[in-house]
Amino acid sequence: LHIVIPASILSLIIYWLIRDRHKVRNLSGKYVFITGCDTRLGNALAKWLDKRGFCVIAACVTEQEGQELRSCSSLSLKTVNLDLADSSSISKAVVFATEETAGKGLFGLVNTAEGTTHTAAPTDWLTIDDFHSALSVNLLGLIEITLKLLPLLKKAEGRVVNLINAKGFMTFVDGGYNLSKWGMESFSDTLRRDIQHFGVKVSIVEHSFFNAKVNWGIMERDLLRLWNRLPNEIRDSYGEKYFSE
C-alpha cells in the first residue's frame, strides 16, 4: 500500500497534466451553437470563439441584437432568433442549425441564456405563473433546445456546456429562479451519464457574480405590484410594517 497509493496519486497527477495541455486542433469547420448571445456573457463568448476560428451559430432573442453581433464579427458567424419560452421558435432554430452544419453536426452547445423575470418576494406572495415565467426559459427552454440538438451533437461527438450562475444556489426570495439553477445542475448530471455512450461530453461551468447594475426602482415597483394583488388575509398577516421594511 505504501507503494501503490503514492504511485496512483502520481499517475493521476500526470494524467491531469497531460489532459490539461491537450488543445483542440483544426477549429475551422467546427460548429458551436450558443444561446443567450443577446446577454453580455453569451455575446462575449460568441465573439471570442469566432476570433479563434470556430463556426459560431449565435442565438439572440431579437433580429436587432443579431445584426449588432454580426456587424462586429466574421462572416462565418451566423445568428438565429431564439425565444426559449416558445417551442416553435426552438424548432426553427434547430432547423437553422441543421442546415448550417450541413451534415457535420455540432462540436458544441453552450447554454448561457437566462430569463429576465427574477421575482423577489416571499413565497406565498407568488402564484404558479410567477414560477412558470422563470422556469420556462431558465430550465424548460434549456432542456428543450438541448434535447432537440442532441442528434447534431451525437453526429460530431460534441459537447454540451451549461453555464450556471452560482447565485442561484443561495436561495433568496427569487421564485423559480433558484429552482431553475438546481434543475440545471440535475439535468446536466443526468444527461452526462446518459449520452457518454455516444462520445458526447457534458460540462457545468458555475460562474461567479458579474458587476451588473441593479435597477432598484423596477424591483420596488414589482414588489409593490405583488403586494397590491395579495388577498387581504395574506396582506394583513404580514402587515404594512413588514412590507415597508
Side-chain angles (χ1 to χ4, degrees):
L1 288 176
H2 287 86
I3 298 176
V4 172
I5 293 176
S8 300
I9 294 174
L10 180 61
S11 298
L12 190 59
I13 292 173
I14 293 174
Y15 165 75
W16 277 339
L17 291 174
I18 294 174
R19 183 195 64 176
D20 291 345
R21 289 180 180 177
H22 181 71
K23 292 184 178 181
V24 177
R25 307 295 180 183
N26 301 320
L27 305 184
S28 178
K30 287 183 167 61
Y31 288 85
V32 180
F33 190 105
I34 309 173
T35 68
C37 290
D38 45 286
T39 64
R40 187 167 65 176
L41 181 59
N43 189 279
L45 179 61
K47 293 174 181 176
W48 190 84
L49 292 178
D50 177 55
K51 288 180 180 179
R52 278 150 185 78
F54 285 98
C55 297
V56 176
I57 303 175
C60 302
V61 175
T62 68
E63 176 59 29
Q64 180 181 352
E65 291 159 340
Q67 288 178 353
E68 292 174 356
L69 180 56
R70 290 196 302 271
S71 67
C72 54
S73 305
S74 73
L75 294 176
S76 64
L77 184 144
K78 308 296 182 182
T79 62
V80 60
N81 292 354
L82 176 62
D83 178 2
L84 286 175
D86 183 357
S87 290
S88 63
S89 176
I90 292 175
S91 296
K92 291 177 182 177
V94 171
V95 170
F96 180 86
T98 303
E99 293 174 349
E100 281 295 321
T101 55
K104 293 182 179 180
L106 274 178
F107 179 77
L109 165 62
V110 185
N111 286 307
T112 74
E114 275 197 347
T116 57
T117 304
H118 300 162
T119 304
T123 302
D124 60 347
W125 292 21
L126 306 175
T127 67
I128 194 63
D129 290 335
D130 295 317
F131 287 90
H132 277 306
S133 63
L135 294 173
S136 62
V137 172
N138 292 345
L139 180 58
L140 300 179
L142 174 143
I143 292 174
E144 185 173 357
I145 188 70
T146 303
L147 293 178
K148 289 184 175 179
L149 287 175
L150 274 182
L152 296 181
L153 290 161
K154 289 179 181 179
K155 184 182 291 291
E157 294 188 358
R159 71 253 12 248
V160 179
V161 181
N162 290 331
L163 275 69
I164 305 177
N165 195 325
K167 73 181 180 181
F169 303 115
M170 292 178 276
T171 307
F172 299 123
V173 282
D174 282 324
Y177 182 79
N178 299 105
L179 292 176
S180 69
K181 299 306 163 187
W182 288 103
M184 286 173 66
E185 286 272 343
S186 178
F187 173 72
S188 300
D189 286 336
T190 304
L191 184 68
R192 181 186 299 113
R193 292 191 299 270
D194 291 344
I195 63 174
Q196 63 180 348
H197 169 74
F198 300 97
V200 179
K201 301 176 177 64
V202 179
S203 299
I204 299 170
V205 177
E206 295 173 352
H207 60 82
S208 185
F209 306 125
F210 292 103
N211 185 19
K213 294 182 179 180
V214 177
N215 192 321
W216 296 107
I218 292 178
M219 292 185 67
E220 288 183 5
R221 286 198 300 271
D222 193 49
L223 197 62
L224 180 60
R225 175 184 63 83
L226 296 175
W227 173 257
N228 288 333
R229 80 176 186 185
L230 286 176
N232 290 333
E233 59 180 315
I234 296 180
R235 192 185 305 132
D236 293 342
S237 69
Y238 280 93
E240 290 288 344
K241 183 181 179 182
Y242 180 95
F243 173 70
S244 298
E245 291 177 350

